Amino acid sequence: MPWNTHIDADIPLIEISYLGLVNRSELVAAFTQSLALAIEHNLNLVLADCTELTIGGHSVADLYFLADELAQCSLMTTLKEAILLPAQIASTDTIQFWATTCYNRGINVQVFDCRDSAMAWLLAS
């Protein structure tokens, strides 16, 4: 499986790690599981580790429609998602598209190239 979702044992947040190519159905499954965990455990902080993500598994249209779905979720008003940029420069455009699409819908998403900065932003009030 090219993604893994878990709740951090020390900090109340959901971490999603993406590895390699993530196709549309895998992206939807990761999104669905993360949302279910957030609702079940009343969590609103998400760290999306895309450092090992490679481009080509899903389209920007897939991201667009997932952002629409997220915007309709009750968690949208309190959600904070920090995204760690992929190591492959070519993949960063897709991540930036997701962040912009979310921002345009009022979802609090920021992109980072450093885990420490991402965590600091997530944990800031």
Side-chain angles (χ1 to χ4, degrees), residues 54-108:
T54 56
I55 196 166
H58 55 275
S59 70
V60 292
D62 296 332
L63 296 173
Y64 181 87
F65 291 115
L66 278 180
D68 275 349
E69 191 173 327
L70 182 58
Q72 296 175 29
C73 177
S74 62
L75 291 176
M76 190 276 294
T77 57
T78 60
L79 180 78
K80 281 179 80 173
E81 180 180 24
I83 305 171
L84 294 175
L85 284 171
Q88 291 187 356
I89 301 296
S91 301
T92 60
D93 287 347
T94 303
I95 302 303
Q96 293 291 358
F97 177 83
W98 169 255
T100 301
T101 301
C102 288
Y103 176 81
N104 289 342
R105 287 162 179 74
I107 303 166
N108 196 7

Side-chain angles (χ1 to χ4, degrees), residues 16-57:
I16 310 165
S17 300
Y18 296 99
L19 305 166
L21 290 175
V22 179
N23 68 33
R24 182 189 184 287
S25 63
E26 294 162 338
L27 181 66
V28 170
F31 175 83
T32 303
Q33 183 177 8
S34 300
L35 199 54
L37 283 172
I39 292 168
E40 178 183 346
H41 297 278
N42 196 30
L43 297 172
N44 65 339
L45 303 178
V46 177
L47 176 65
D49 184 347
C50 298
T51 55
E52 301 297 321
L53 181 69
T54 56
I55 196 166

Side-chain angles (χ1 to χ4, degrees), residues 1 30 32 61 87 89 109-110 124:
M1 177 167 35
T32 303
I89 301 296
V109 174
Q110 293 284 329

